[in-house]
Amino acid sequence: MAQSTLDSMPGASTGTVVVTEPLNFWGGKRVKPRQEKNAEPVFEPATGRVLCQMVPCGAEEVDEAIQSAYAAYQKWSKMAGMERARVMLEAARIIRERREKIAKLEVINNGKSIIEALVDIDIAWQSIEYYAGLAGTLAGQHIQLPGGAFAYSRREPLGVCVGIGAWNFPILLATLKSAPALACGNAMVYKPSPMAPVTAVILAEIYKEAGVPDGLFCVVQGGAETGSLLCHHPKVAKVSFTGSVPTGKKVMEMSAKSVKQVTLELGGKSPLIIFKDCELENAVKGALMANFLTQGEVCCNGTRVFVQREIMPQFLEEVVKRTKAIPVGDPLLESTRMGALISKPQLEKVLGFVSQAKKEGARVLCGGDPFVPSDPKLKGGYFMSPCVLDNCRDDMTCVKEEIFGPVMSVLPFDTEEEVIKRANNTTFGLASGVFTRDISRAHRVAASMEAGTCFINNYNISPIELPFGGYKMSGFGRENGQVTIEYYSQLKTVVVEMGDVESLF
């Protein structure tokens, strides 16, 4: 069943795929849009070609999906954790079996390199496997009370959860939200980004094939209006959102009207601090990993690179040399290390940040221009050359605002105390990093960072076992790790009296 869209993938190449199947999924099957009005073109980033049409779901369709999810939740929540685990492990197995096909479709829809997409698919099945392992461990406590009375707690699911994803990790975000939700006994209605709507429905088909009740994982397509319908729906118990700060605020506001639980994973402008005693080779590689994965379209990227003044010349020389050598081009080629940005407006926005940086006094050491690959079919793609900016100051737009593209801003610093203060001088707090050989300094800096994650002598390493989330305006709640179970479940206390009631009346 899940292979229908994937069957053409082995022979597919960039610029050849057209998606014609419906992208909505509830009641255990793909669902055609009721009306074709307000359809939006979805583009293949590497070519600029129209891949398919995305038709947003209206109120009736959203309600139908949520009712379908609620019916499935009634069955799924009554199953034992080990029963749920078996179904989830089968879903993980199917993803693992079809990883190359799914990764290829992800690349066509998203523009990232096939090397990165394969890693995303591996993390996806690992996520389902990890939470399947936790499903059978969910338990409460027994508390003995005076006089033979006792109490116990039950960890129970929330109900129908809504996941709203971003376009930089389409199927991975759908998995990172759905796996803990399903492990806890919930159902999920998922809305992918309208710019990358193609692979979430593949996940829905795989869950169905693995044996979940029809409706347990539904997919509705749409933009802001569809998202609003989901957040306001009375049968929704929780909303997990990944995206921008302004949209996150709206999600929180809408969800507050009916007191829904909310997890927000928002933007970042994370600092990467490189001390003069670092292993320079590793620091350079860390800076590249912190800035250029997925064409720089990663919320936790370390885009403010603070380098101790004494090693700034050596660092810049090496990082520029390696940045210039990054192969940009057809994302389906295994030799490519940087694909296309998600859309033309996003490309223009990122290039605009580079122009603004130059006006404000930054120096472009390499890149920052539109890139036209030699392959004729890629001429309309949304490519740019990865960029390193020097001569940056803390008050520059490129240093303060999230660019979400392959642009690294490098800033000098002198002392530990100074750089910690500057690193924390931001409204964001998603991630941070430090490179140093001094173990005491490493832990001291990590403790001082106002961010949800701090990487020591590495960057952008996020195994599924580790909690991920933000401080400050980068959001709240966590994804990944054991703690996420607490964000998809609730505790009920049951008090049992074994004797007579003592009454004051």
Side-chain angles (χ1 to χ4, degrees), residues 220-243:
V220 297
Q221 302 292 346
E225 192 177 324
T226 307
S228 175
L229 291 167
L230 290 166
C231 292
H232 283 117
H233 199 284
K235 264 200 163 64
V236 169
K238 178 203 169 80
V239 180
S240 175
F241 170 79
T242 298

Side-chain angles (χ1 to χ4, degrees), residues 80-82 84-85 88 130-138 182-184 485:
M82 289 295 286
R84 295 198 293 265
M88 292 177 68
Y130 176 78
Y131 286 107
L134 291 178
T137 70
L138 304 183
L182 269 55
C184 290
I485 293 297

Side-chain angles (χ1 to χ4, degrees), residues 254-283:
M254 290 185 288
S255 301
K257 289 179 179 173
S258 49
V259 199
K260 300 185 197 312
Q261 294 193 33
V262 177
T263 292
L264 299 178
E265 198 274 276
L266 308 178
K269 192 69 185 177
S270 300
L272 172 58
I273 303 170
I274 299 173
F275 285 94
K276 62 184 178 183
D277 70 340
C278 71
E279 166 54 59
L280 190 63
E281 167 78 4
N282 282 331

Side-chain angles (χ1 to χ4, degrees), residues 71-282:
Y73 155 71
Q74 301 279 36
K75 300 173 187 172
W76 183 251
S77 60
K78 291 179 175 62
M79 292 167 63
M82 289 295 286
E83 292 176 303
R84 295 198 293 265
R86 278 193 290 274
V87 176
M88 292 177 68
L89 287 170
E90 175 62 9
R93 185 199 65 77
I94 295 168
I95 293 172
R96 197 161 55 241
E97 189 179 82
R98 298 174 194 162
R99 68 188 284 267
E100 288 83 6
K101 293 179 182 180
I102 300 169
K104 213 167 182 181
L105 186 59
E106 187 83 321
V107 169
I108 290 164
N109 192 195
N110 165 273
K112 68 173 66 187
S113 72
I114 187 67
I115 296 294
E116 285 192 47
L118 285 165
V119 173
D120 290 355
I121 306 310
D122 285 340
I123 298 171
W125 66 254
Q126 287 164 16
S127 171
I128 298 174
E129 205 168 73
Y130 176 78
Y131 286 107
L134 291 178
T137 70
L138 304 183
Q141 286 181 302
H142 177 277
I143 301 102
Q144 191 65 45
L145 299 174
F150 65 93
Y152 60 92
S153 60
R154 291 168 49 94
R155 186 162 290 283
E156 299 184 344
L158 300 173
V160 176
C161 301
V162 160
I164 301 177
W167 42 258
N168 51 350
F169 294 94
I171 197 168
L172 179 55
L173 285 172
T175 311
L176 295 182
K177 293 182 189 301
S178 62
L182 269 55
C184 290
N186 302 289
M188 177 164 275
V189 178
Y190 189 79
K191 188 193 83 63
S193 163
M195 287 192 279
V198 172
T199 47
V201 70
I202 299 294
L203 179 62
E205 288 183 318
I206 287 171
Y207 277 136
K208 156 79 174 174
E209 188 175 342
V212 305
D214 286 352
L216 193 73
F217 181 78
C218 302
V219 177
V220 297
Q221 302 292 346
E225 192 177 324
T226 307
S228 175
L229 291 167
L230 290 166
C231 292
H232 283 117
H233 199 284
K235 264 200 163 64
V236 169
K238 178 203 169 80
V239 180
S240 175
F241 170 79
T242 298
S244 70
V245 173
T247 308
K249 288 178 178 178
K250 289 176 186 169
V251 166
M252 192 173 172
E253 184 182 345
M254 290 185 288
S255 301
K257 289 179 179 173
S258 49
V259 199
K260 300 185 197 312
Q261 294 193 33
V262 177
T263 292
L264 299 178
E265 198 274 276
L266 308 178
K269 192 69 185 177
S270 300
L272 172 58
I273 303 170
I274 299 173
F275 285 94
K276 62 184 178 183
D277 70 340
C278 71
E279 166 54 59
L280 190 63
E281 167 78 4
N282 282 331

